[in-house]
Amino acid sequence: TAVRSTVLAEAEQREIRPRELASTALLAVVGPNGAAFAQLGDGAIVFGEGTSYKTAFWPEPTEYANTTNFLTDERFVDAVLFTTIDTPVIELAVLSDGLQRLALDFTARKPHAPFFRPLFRDLRATSNLETLSGPFRAFLDSPNVNAKTDDDKTLVLAVQRP
């Protein structure tokens, strides 16, 4: 509700319709023995528990491309998904809908491990995160990735280190 209020205030300040700032929201709160996840709209929250990857919520199919629930919708609160897990999260990825077709196996209804493994491996192997910014940005803007999506490509990664 607070984030929605901020978005609506920004639309008012810019003198535009709130729909022009339509936003989805993905949230992960991770502790040492579990996590809580919330999601409004498309995108995905993927987590690894050590040996495999899971999604907090499987993306809902929509009748039309680029349609989903947004913070700017009047009844947004009714569309928020929420779940908790009681196992440690070792790896976490939060991604926008532009990466869903690359990062998720829609036939098997699970995360596509070959997409995530090298990203998490590289993140875990470095002590200087700035060195990954360029290569990760180049990957997301590569011809192979761009050939598979023309939508936004936001990716947030986190790993638990010993």
Side-chain angles (χ1 to χ4, degrees):
T1 301
V3 172
R4 181 178 193 271
S5 295
T6 302
V7 171
L8 296 179
E10 183 67 21
E12 186 175 327
Q13 181 180 340
R14 293 182 184 198
E15 298 179 353
I16 59 176
R17 294 176 308 137
R19 186 75 175 165
E20 293 184 47
L21 297 179
S23 308
T24 58
L26 295 94
L27 174 71
V29 178
V30 179
N33 299 313
F37 305 110
Q39 182 167 335
L40 173 68
D42 50 21
I45 301 169
V46 174
F47 58 96
E49 299 172 311
T51 59
S52 65
Y53 299 111
K54 298 178 182 178
T55 56
F57 313 98
W58 190 253
E60 292 297 319
T62 57
E63 187 175 350
Y64 302 103
N66 295 320
T67 59
T68 191
N69 296 300
F70 297 107
L71 277 170
T72 51
D73 297 342
E74 287 295 322
R75 298 183 53 100
F76 79 98
V77 75
D78 296 333
V80 175
L81 303 173
F82 181 81
T83 192
T84 60
I85 61 169
D86 60 0
T87 56
V89 172
I90 307 302
E91 300 165 327
L92 177 71
V94 179
L95 54 113
S96 61
D97 61 319
L99 292 174
Q100 285 181 179
R101 297 270 174 224
L102 291 122
L104 304 177
D105 180 339
F106 280 81
T107 302
R109 290 182 57 95
K110 63 181 185 177
H112 185 59
F115 177 86
F116 293 103
R117 278 192 194 112
L119 297 171
F120 287 130
R121 180 196 63 225
D122 291 351
L123 182 58
R124 187 170 277 108
T126 188
S127 58
N128 181 357
L129 297 179
E130 294 300 316
T131 63
L132 293 179
S133 179
F136 279 5
R137 186 172 285 121
F139 165 70
L140 292 176
D141 200 32
S142 68
N144 285 342
V145 172
N146 286 333
K148 295 177 179 140
T149 182
D150 61 355
D151 206 341
D152 60 299
K153 298 173 290 192
T154 301
L155 177 63
V156 177
L157 298 170
V159 295
Q160 184 182 88
R161 293 184 177 171

